[in-house]
Amino acid sequence: MTAPLPDITTREDCERLVRAFYGRAMLDPIIGFIFVDVAKLDLEAHVPKIASFWETILLGAQSYGGGAFRPHAVINAQVPLRAGHFERWLWLWRTTVDELFAGERAELAKTHAERVARAFHARLRMLDAPLAAGELPVLTITRHGPEP
Ligand code: HEM
Ligand code: HEM
């Protein structure tokens, strides 16, 4: 019998999760090139930022300032991010979470990633779509979670 997996409880857990995810995502045959060749991601600079993002969502820290969407709009201008890219991202994320952690926070890490992916994809489609005559552009700003 292997020991049951722990839940995500510390920033170190968030970092471990994020490192494991990027280790896999950067080698991925479907989306790896976006991190490696398009964004030329500096992992050491990136990991603390993404760990803060998850620490804010999962552990109630307020270490992430927001604005996660914008860099994806920049990437999307170079490589259009399609539903299949988001599906792959989510599959890699769920697989990594399930390999390392189990529990309420681990579940939240998976459901919140799905919400964000859906919102990002919808916003990108809106940016890409030409407006019909007379139609007004819509930008939804979400602000939620505990009050600062
Ligand atoms: C304690 C609970 C929650 C916390 C701390 C939290 C935190 C966050 C943070 C930090 C972001 C990134 C914002 C940015 O980068 O600008 C985000 C994005 C998002 N969250 Fe949550 N969240 C929580 C609950 C929820 C719930 C309950 C829902 C929906 C039912 C939700 C849906 C979303 C969506 C759709 C986005 C993406 C927004 C966008 O950029 O279009 N979140 N959340
Ligand atoms: C097709 C799927 C996705 C791709 C290819 C992708 C790619 C990237 C890349 C290349 C960056 C770095 C941009 C830069 O700094 O140059 C980035 C940043 C980031 N991504 Fe994604 N991403 C995807 C989906 C998601 C999803 C679903 C989430 C959240 C659940 C997410 C969260 C973030 C955050 C928090 C940052 C850091 C933003 C900041 O600088 O504050 N990404 N992403």
Side-chain angles (χ1 to χ4, degrees):
M1 268 280 290
T2 47
L5 293 171
D7 203 353
I8 300 165
T9 58
T10 63
R11 179 178 173 92
E12 287 63 42
D13 291 339
C14 295
E15 279 215 27
R16 191 152 77 90
L17 174 58
V18 165
R19 270 188 202 283
F21 170 76
Y22 280 99
R24 189 171 256 156
M26 290 175 85
L27 296 176
D28 186 68
I30 299 172
I31 60 171
F33 79 99
I34 303 174
F35 300 100
V36 177
D37 300 320
V38 179
K40 301 189 170 55
L41 197 65
D42 173 354
L43 201 56
E44 289 316 304
H46 195 61
V47 164
K49 239 193 277 182
I50 308 288
S52 295
F53 175 82
W54 287 107
E55 190 188 22
T56 299
I57 291 165
L58 301 176
L59 306 177
Q62 291 182 8
S63 49
Y64 185 72
F69 175 68
R70 199 186 150 76
H72 300 88
V74 175
I75 297 291
N76 182 65
Q78 299 165 273
V79 182
L81 298 178
R82 308 288 190 209
H85 297 118
F86 283 100
E87 285 305 321
R88 186 65 181 176
W89 192 106
L90 287 170
W91 183 83
L92 291 166
W93 179 252
R94 284 194 301 264
T95 303
T96 313
V97 172
D98 287 343
E99 215 169 76
L100 297 173
F101 299 102
E104 214 173 293
R105 306 254 176 65
E107 289 308 309
L108 190 56
K110 291 182 284 179
T111 47
H112 202 274
E114 267 168 50
R115 289 174 189 142
V116 176
R118 210 174 303 126
F120 280 7
H121 190 216
R123 290 170 75 175
L124 292 177
R125 272 194 315 228
M126 225 143 57
L127 286 181
D128 293 340
L131 293 175
E135 193 187 348
L136 291 170
V138 181
L139 178 61
T140 311
I141 308 287
T142 53
R143 190 189 173 97
H144 61 274
E147 283 300 310

